[in-house]
Amino acid sequence: MMKKKELIEAVVERSGVRKKFAKPAIEAMMEVLGEAIAEGRDLNLPPMGKIKQQRTKEAANVRVTVAKIRQSKEAGAAKDLEGPENPKQGVAEAAE
């Protein structure tokens, strides 16, 4: 299971952006995605894929959402081509 800390570290390593710039952007993105899921919106986020909600159940303190993710077979192959030695082109440098 990937946790937020591991996600932030992976994004920092892959993008070359400093952690102090990446962390707030990643946290804001997760908030936006969480709000969209709570609203029942489907998501189309290549290369992550299309996320379509199947059903939602409300419980005492939680909402359980069952979703289907449709992902291109090439999505996993992209990580093999990128990395510290082959960073993705077009990543902007953060201003200090």
Side-chain angles (χ1 to χ4, degrees):
M1 174 185 299
M2 178 180 273
K3 296 195 177 210
K4 183 168 77 169
K5 182 178 180 181
E6 184 181 355
L7 173 65
I8 292 169
E9 289 171 1
V11 170
V12 166
E13 182 179 323
R14 189 169 296 186
S15 69
V17 174
R18 295 175 68 193
K19 186 175 181 178
K20 73 178 187 177
F21 297 115
K23 185 177 178 182
I26 293 166
E27 289 174 339
M29 179 200 66
M30 290 191 304
E31 285 180 30
V32 170
L33 293 175
E35 291 167 3
I37 291 168
E39 293 170 3
R41 296 176 66 184
D42 293 340
L43 305 169
N44 185 6
L45 306 169
M48 187 185 334
K50 291 183 180 180
I51 303 168
K52 182 172 178 74
Q53 293 192 39
Q54 300 295 303
R55 62 185 178 276
T56 302
K57 179 180 179 181
E58 300 287 334
N61 295 325
V62 297
R63 176 185 306 110
V64 178
T65 301
V66 176
K68 186 182 287 186
I69 301 174
R70 183 179 179 122
Q71 187 178 47
S72 168
K73 289 183 180 179
E74 288 81 34
K79 78 173 186 173
D80 296 334
L81 301 175
E82 299 168 10
E85 63 281 346
N86 294 321
K88 186 173 182 177
Q89 296 297 319
V91 175
E93 291 294 321
E96 290 188 34

